[in-house]
Amino acid sequence: MAERSFAREVEHLRLGAGEEFRGEAILAITKGLLQSGVSYVGGYQGSPISHLMDVLSDAKDVLGELGVNFQSSANESTAAAMLSASVMYPLRGAVAWKSTVGTNVASDALANLASGGVTGGAMVIVGEDYGEGSSIMQERTHAFAMKSQMWLLDPRPDHACIVDLIEKGFQLSEVSNTPVMLQVRVRTCHMHGSFICKDNVKPAFTIDDARNHPRRDLGRIVLPPAAYEHEHEKIKRRMPAAIDFVRDHKLNEFFGPEEGKVGIILQGGMYNNVIRALQYLGLSDAYGNTQIPLYVMNVTYPMIDTEVAAFAAGKDAVLMVEEGQPEYLEQALNTVLRRRDINAKVRGKDVLPMAGDYTTHAIMQGVQTFLEENDPRLLGNRPPVPDASAVLADPKVEKLKSVVPSRPPGLCTGCPERPIFAAMKLVNEDLGEHHVSADIGCHLFSILPPFNLGATTMGFGLGPASTSAFGAKSDAKRSIAVMGDGGFWHNGLTSGIGNAVYNKHDGVFLIVDNFYSSATGGQDILSSRADNANRSTNNPIIDAVKGVGAKWVREVDRTYDVAKMRDTLHEALTTTDEGPKIIIASSECMLNKQRRVKPQIAKRIKDGKRVVKERFGVDEDVCTGDHACIRLSGCPSLSVKQLDDPLRDDPVAAIDNSCVACGNCGEVSEAAALCPSFYRAEVIHNPTAWDRFKAKLSMGVIRKLQKRRLSSRLTLEAA
């Protein structure tokens, strides 16, 4: 298995009442689910929530003891549909995925789930991936919560608060018969902290109870006429019940003095950054003892009108700290206050950025502007704070920006996808440029230099579907679609390959099979070649594509063979055969391979066993310094080296110690007929007597040849 192992950490899930949990928030979230009596859990991996799937997989013994069913879902729609178990039965269930791409995929199932409502508590744990560190389009979960009227929890980044909101979230879901979303941001997921545990709770009503006693309630099935009533039920009964529960159980929090001319209303997830900003302004300490009243919305939808009205009453102005756009909460806040004739000014996106990360500095500048205009006396004790704009305008900084290169994300050292795109570049030199549709995953980095391949990306597993408009047979060049094995099993088999077969698509479809869902953390999938005791693996992709009717299928089972990759692509782009041309290019993800084999190699060396490590290098005397190898592969371990030879001005290629001996650089050079400067060396640990003898013999021959060459050189110089 390639997944990160949490085998040791999951033992903390057994902690009982009164014991202290210490660890990562992902583990705390899992513990919160078990303390809430959850019956089933599912989800699809994706940053920043990937490790939740790994934790649940490693915790199978703990889950089994409690009677909790865990399913690793094929995609987010599968996970969302899993929550239908809570529609008819008092089963508590939770699923998780990466937002908002995951919520996009799951939105159809979520809309139906929210329409009919639930009997048992249903929770969606969303890894909110908004901001500069994100790999997806910049959207917010809030819009989906409002669209389908699911209650949205945004807990303050604190283990105790998160765990409590999980328990209360299930209760909120059951009281209002509405599914609940709990969003946790990137920093929150990987935050370490502690909380006092409760005992784990076995489900009061189990999956077996539901199977043995099936129920039907026509009022919860999304069919007319019940579907028409659901809309009214949401407003007349479910939302008021949710508002009462949130208010009565004090899910939102108040900090700081009760009175003040101004106050700050903020999303729970923004709490830490707001406190740090106030700390820099001298208005709080590091422990949250603030001089400004704060209203922390751990529940951002629905907004609790009575609470925000009471908070704003008597104040001259309030600041709404809401990360991302549009300003949903600011608009709702204005509506609440204006309807109640509360005259407090509402500030928000006019002093804070409309979009982008709400870093501590961004919040600090917004709060400072807000206070300067509405309560400047509070800023009397602020320490000097450097002006960021002045720092950025410094000529030295500008010069540094021109020297330090930008570092966009790229493929790892030894990545088996690198030779695939090198082969595509070689084919383009012969046949010309082709339209290439990319896909979500590591292969998306081929859009960037040095490959510069790919024109669009429409979603996970949608690379093939993105070329649908280019499918008609013609004399023009064929389109190429790329997707990974993770995307293939996510939805690419049906939306991409099945669709192409049905419509007799004339394009080329390249499926990158690196044995795992690599971009999401190395989880096993259907076609993984590892033996997995808990899941069915070793189901070849070729069987699946042939099963939906594909006829022209080729396999390249070692992507590092650049020449074979090039020839296979050339054949696919020039064949006269009809229908989609499918290439399955397979090699194990090097990052996961290194994680797997490095401990094995280290143990063998420690045990005194013979181990041979391969290394590649560049012969400085042979290298011409044209750097075509770097342009065609872009491997991070390939660099340049300046020689001391005054007759050679150009730096030569060099390979650093991060090399994993995949051989791609040499293969590219050979396939492109570039140069013979690459060599392979073997480093032998714990050599045998035969190894030592061969080394001694080889060195003897080398010394003899070196001596003869030196003698010839001296003779020439004397002449």
Side-chain angles (χ1 to χ4, degrees):
M1 292 177 64
E3 293 100 324
R4 172 184 165 186
S5 175
F6 287 86
R8 184 174 58 182
E9 291 94 330
V10 296
E11 290 303 311
H12 298 312
L13 300 177
R14 300 182 188 275
L15 293 174
E19 295 183 279
E20 185 179 31
F21 171 95
R22 289 183 176 273
E24 198 173 4
I26 290 293
L27 269 296
I29 290 170
T30 311
K31 177 63 173 163
L33 294 175
L34 300 183
Q35 291 180 177
S36 300
V38 70
S39 297
Y40 63 95
V41 189
Y44 189 83
Q45 62 272 359
S47 175
I49 210 72
S50 292
H51 288 161
L52 183 56
M53 297 296 103
D54 301 336
V55 167
L56 290 166
S57 178
D58 285 337
K60 59 182 182 298
D61 291 340
V62 181
L63 300 181
E65 292 166 8
L66 295 170
V68 180
N69 178 38
F70 166 62
Q71 289 276 318
S72 182
S73 307
N75 55 39
E76 296 85 357
S77 286
T78 305
M82 189 180 187
L83 290 174
S84 68
S86 297
V87 171
M88 297 296 173
Y89 308 100
L91 294 166
R92 287 188 171 182
V95 296
W97 56 66
K98 172 189 179 79
S99 176
T100 55
V101 287
T103 313
N104 282 328
V105 174
S107 59
D108 192 23
L110 289 180
N112 282 279
L113 183 74
S115 180
V118 293
T119 301
M123 179 176 292
V124 180
I125 300 171
V126 175
E128 190 75 347
D129 194 13
Y130 179 89
E132 186 180 359
S134 171
S135 61
I136 62 171
M137 80 293 285
Q138 294 300 274
E139 293 185 353
R140 297 168 55 194
T141 301
H142 200 98
F144 290 93
M146 293 195 303
K147 176 188 78 69
S148 297
Q149 290 197 276
M150 297 174 61
W151 318 138
L152 180 62
L153 313 182
D154 188 359
R156 179 168 52 86
D158 173 82
H159 279 30
C161 180
I162 295 170
V163 171
D164 182 62
L165 273 182
I166 289 174
E167 183 178 347
K168 294 293 197 306
F170 280 115
Q171 296 172 16
L172 170 62
S173 176
E174 290 163 349
V175 164
S176 60
N177 300 118
T178 303
V180 167
M181 305 177 89
L182 179 125
Q183 72 175 30
V184 280
R185 301 159 195 266
V186 177
R187 291 181 180 87
T188 302
C189 287
H190 302 298
M191 169 186 69
H192 282 249
S194 64
F195 68 96
I196 303 302
C197 298
K198 297 179 181 179
D199 289 330
N200 293 334
V201 177
K202 288 187 176 182
F205 189 87
T206 68
I207 296 290
D208 284 347
D209 290 333
R211 285 191 286 213
N212 291 329
H213 303 91
R215 301 179 186 176
R216 290 178 69 246
D217 180 356
L218 294 178
R220 294 208 182 279
I221 300 176
V222 187
L223 283 173
Y228 307 140
E229 296 298 324
H230 294 163
E231 187 75 5
H232 297 284
E233 183 186 350
K234 287 179 181 179
I235 300 302
K236 293 179 180 178
R237 190 183 64 79
R238 295 189 206 168
M239 182 173 282
I243 290 172
D244 289 344
F245 183 91
V246 173
R247 183 186 61 244
D248 295 344
H249 289 80
K250 298 180 171 54
L251 300 192
N252 296 320
E253 299 173 291
F254 297 86
F255 295 96
E258 293 185 4
E259 303 296 333
K261 290 182 61 178
V262 296
I264 299 177
I265 301 175
L266 60 140
Q267 296 165 299
M270 290 286 99
Y271 175 82
N272 287 2
N273 282 13
V274 169
I275 289 297
R276 181 54 61 88
L278 292 176
Q279 186 183 359
Y280 284 146
L281 293 171
L283 296 171
S284 176
D285 61 17
Y287 302 99
N289 297 310
T290 169
Q291 299 176 32
I292 298 180
L294 303 181
Y295 173 57
V296 180
M297 298 178 65
N298 292 317
V299 180
T300 53
Y301 185 78
M303 181 177 283
I304 311 304
D305 296 6
T306 55
E307 289 185 350
V308 294
F311 180 79
K315 291 181 173 61
D316 294 343
V318 292
L319 174 66
M320 181 72 243
V321 180
E322 174 185 9
E323 186 176 52
Q325 55 88 29
E327 63 274 47
Y328 298 120
L329 294 174
E330 188 178 338
Q331 293 175 19
L333 179 59
N334 269 296
T335 299
V336 170
L337 300 188
R338 299 296 83 85
R339 283 179 176 173
R340 287 167 170 74
D341 290 328
I342 296 173
N343 295 321
K345 289 186 291 185
V346 175
R347 309 298 299 274
K349 298 293 186 183
D350 53 340
V351 295
L352 288 163
M354 174 59 80
D357 283 329
Y358 271 17
T359 61
T360 297
H361 187 268
I363 295 174
M364 183 185 67
Q365 286 188 316
V367 171
Q368 181 174 317
T369 301
F370 169 71
L371 294 178
E372 284 173 347
E373 295 178 4
N374 297 283
D375 198 358
R377 66 177 182 79
L378 287 172
L379 295 171
N381 62 344
R382 57 180 161 161
V385 178
D387 183 358
S389 58
V391 172
L392 293 174
D394 189 302
K396 294 180 181 178
V397 175
E398 288 298 321
K399 186 176 181 180
L400 187 65
K401 287 164 61 178
S402 66
V403 174
V404 178
S406 60
R407 297 192 63 187
L411 300 170
C412 301
T413 300
C415 176
E417 300 183 17
R418 195 180 300 279
I420 296 173
F421 301 116
M424 289 177 68
K425 294 288 286 185
L426 293 173
V427 170
N428 284 349
E429 290 180 5
D430 183 26
L431 300 179
E433 297 286 338
H434 293 75
H435 173 81
V436 178
S437 290
D439 204 330
I440 300 298
C442 302
H443 36 277
L444 191 60
F445 299 142
S446 64
I447 289 178
L448 302 171
F451 304 114
N452 301 304
L453 295 165
T456 58
T457 172
M458 290 288 104
F460 199 24
L462 293 177
S466 300
T467 61
S468 297
F470 300 89
K473 189 174 180 61
S474 72
D475 294 331
K477 287 184 290 187
R478 287 176 176 142
S479 63
I480 303 175
V482 183
M483 71 173 166
D485 45 0
F488 175 84
W489 294 115
H490 183 270
N491 69 49
L493 174 60
T494 53
S495 66
I497 303 304
N499 183 71
V501 170
Y502 180 71
N503 288 291
K504 296 186 176 180
H505 195 299
D506 191 48
V508 176
F509 300 87
L510 180 59
I511 303 171
V512 181
D513 175 18
N514 50 26
F515 303 5
Y516 314 101
S517 187
S518 299
T520 62
Q523 289 80 10
D524 281 332
I525 50 180
L526 274 164
S527 52
S528 293
R529 303 191 186 186
D531 291 325
N532 191 314
N534 301 316
R535 301 187 182 104
S536 173
T537 53
N538 288 287
N539 299 287
I541 290 176
I542 190 170
D543 291 349
V545 297
K546 287 185 175 180
V548 295
K551 299 294 189 293
W552 198 103
V553 184
R554 301 289 186 272
E555 284 187 291
V556 179
D557 210 39
R558 181 177 172 272
T559 63
Y560 298 103
D561 189 341
V562 178
K564 185 174 182 180
M565 276 300 316
R566 177 199 59 197
D567 295 343
T568 305
L569 278 164
H570 193 283
E571 180 190 0
L573 291 166
T574 56
T575 182
T576 58
D577 291 0
E578 293 187 349
K581 271 60 76 172
I582 300 169
I583 301 172
I584 303 168
S586 306
S587 276
E588 183 177 9
C589 166
M590 184 57 72
L591 186 62
N592 281 300
K593 181 179 180 180
Q594 292 301 312
R595 287 173 179 164
R596 177 171 57 82
V597 303
K598 274 187 175 181
Q600 298 172 355
I601 292 173
K603 186 177 186 304
R604 286 179 60 84
I605 294 174
K606 184 178 179 181
D607 293 343
K609 296 180 180 178
R610 181 180 183 271
V611 173
V612 179
K613 286 186 176 181
E614 288 186 343
R615 289 296 308 275
F616 279 77
V618 175
D619 190 327
E620 298 173 359
D621 294 331
V622 178
C623 179
T624 61
D626 69 346
H627 307 147
C629 53
I630 297 176
R631 292 195 299 273
L632 267 174
S633 79
C635 178
S637 68
L638 272 174
S639 185
V640 292
K641 177 182 178 181
Q642 194 71 44
L643 298 178
D644 295 331
D645 188 344
L647 299 179
R648 298 183 65 181
D649 296 332
D650 294 332
V652 297
I655 300 177
D656 64 26
N657 288 330
S658 66
C659 173
V660 294
C662 69
N664 178 52
C665 47
E667 292 277 359
V668 167
S669 299
E670 184 178 341
L674 295 175
C675 69
S677 60
F678 288 94
Y679 66 84
R680 185 183 68 179
E682 292 183 346
V683 180
I684 302 177
H685 295 264
N686 302 317
T688 64
W690 176 244
D691 292 324
R692 295 180 190 278
F693 173 75
K694 286 195 299 181
K696 185 177 181 179
L697 183 64
S698 297
M699 291 306 299
V701 173
I702 291 171
R703 278 193 293 269
K704 186 175 181 179
L705 293 173
Q706 287 175 333
K707 188 175 181 179
R708 190 173 75 173
R709 186 175 67 172
L710 179 61
S711 177
S712 300
R713 182 181 297 173
L714 292 174
T715 302
L716 287 172
E717 290 177 355

